[in-house]
Amino acid sequence: MKTLRRLMFAFAGAAAAAAAGLAAGAAAPAYIVAALANADRPADDQKRDAARKPGDVIAFAQLKPGETVEDLIPGTGYYDRIFAGVVGPKGHVYGFYPTELTNFRKVQLPPTGATPDPKFPNFTAVTASVNDFAAPAPVDVVWLSDNYHDLHDPFFAPADLAKINAAVFKALKPGGTYLIVDHAAEKGSGLRDTNTLHRIDEASVKAEVEAAGFTLVGESDVLRNPADDHTKKIFDPSIRGETDQFVLRFRKPR
């Protein structure tokens, strides 16, 4: 009976962690848990938490209340709404919207200074060409989730990764974090699959980012999936939402 109860508690704990966007058995700071539980987050966002594990990834990035974060290519704003709760009213979230995406969005890009989601007033937009990436003020974290590979693709041409990574370096405070999440490609494949499978060899990411002066200070396995053989498009129904992803934390030297 005691064994059964322990199993039931373990199952309940794993379910609660998944619902909070955390790996089973993981613990995140209270301010991250509160940001994930914010009732103003859309239901569709909350449904994605179990797979994306935002609590774990944000904790790994070491984003804290009062800090400033800039999200390069925010997409739907999924992470930005969580960031807004994490950094709180004394912090700020900038979403950098590249104008190269104008023709790929169903809604118009927000103009610089606009608030993309009025429920999160400490989240504002910066809109410009991706090669002109910049921050309105020095930031603690620059975040790039599942889109680094896209910067190598034709629809972002003429994206210049060396220039962009250098701009990220400039935007960060000394000791600041550059956090990159992306879909893993086969080892040794380099940039081969960025425009076909929408994956990238993490070794290429490391080489490009370190060339800009960053130091790799951490890697997380929280989004790893050994069942993904890296041969399918990330949109393939058999793997979509469950791809093998690497999470890299780079630091700008102090």
Side-chain angles (χ1 to χ4, degrees):
M1 195 66 173
K2 290 182 179 179
T3 300
L4 178 59
R5 277 199 295 267
R6 282 197 295 268
L7 289 172
M8 290 174 67
F9 284 135
F11 177 79
L22 299 166
Y31 52 85
I32 294 180
V33 175
L36 290 167
N38 188 340
D40 286 333
R41 293 183 64 219
D44 286 345
D45 281 14
Q46 296 178 43
K47 290 177 183 177
R48 301 169 70 188
D49 288 350
R52 300 194 74 172
K53 298 182 176 63
D56 291 291
V57 184
I58 295 171
F60 175 71
Q62 301 178 347
L63 182 65
K64 297 178 178 65
E67 292 190 334
T68 303
V69 55
E70 185 160 18
D71 187 3
L72 174 50
I73 314 178
T76 63
Y78 169 85
Y79 264 114
D80 305 282
R81 287 183 280 269
I82 303 173
F83 294 155
V86 170
V87 302
K90 294 183 179 180
H92 202 84
V93 181
Y94 295 109
F96 187 91
Y97 294 83
T99 52
E100 288 82 357
L101 296 178
T102 299
N103 296 327
F104 296 90
R105 286 173 56 95
K106 295 179 181 179
V107 296
Q108 186 177 359
L109 291 174
T112 295
T115 303
D117 189 331
K119 292 182 178 180
F120 299 88
N122 60 337
F123 166 33
T124 56
V126 179
T127 303
S129 171
V130 72
N131 282 340
D132 295 326
F133 175 84
V139 300
D140 298 284
V141 176
V142 172
W143 188 279
L144 181 50
S145 177
D146 292 338
N147 289 114
Y148 189 98
H149 71 274
D150 285 323
L151 297 174
H152 281 286
D153 294 343
F155 71 90
F156 257 118
D160 183 337
L161 263 298
K163 183 177 181 180
I164 294 166
N165 286 329
V168 171
F169 190 92
K170 181 179 180 180
L172 284 164
K173 298 175 184 178
T177 293
Y178 188 12
L179 194 288
I180 298 177
V181 181
D182 217 331
H183 307 280
E186 290 182 326
K187 288 185 177 180
S189 61
L191 307 177
R192 181 192 68 196
D193 299 329
T194 63
N195 195 42
T196 51
L197 305 182
H198 296 276
R199 299 172 178 268
I200 190 168
D201 185 349
E202 64 184 281
S204 294
V205 177
K206 292 175 181 176
E208 291 179 349
V209 175
E210 289 175 334
F214 287 96
T215 301
L216 178 65
V217 294
E219 304 181 45
S220 172
D221 293 334
V222 70
L223 297 179
R224 286 295 191 183
N225 179 8
D228 178 4
D229 65 7
H230 305 148
T231 63
K232 300 181 180 68
K233 285 186 178 182
I234 64 170
F235 309 112
D236 187 299
S238 68
I239 199 67
R240 186 167 189 168
E242 298 178 353
T243 56
D244 181 32
Q245 297 180 63
F246 54 85
V247 183
L248 307 175
R249 187 173 77 238
F250 298 91
R251 178 175 296 146
K252 176 179 178 176
R254 294 185 182 277

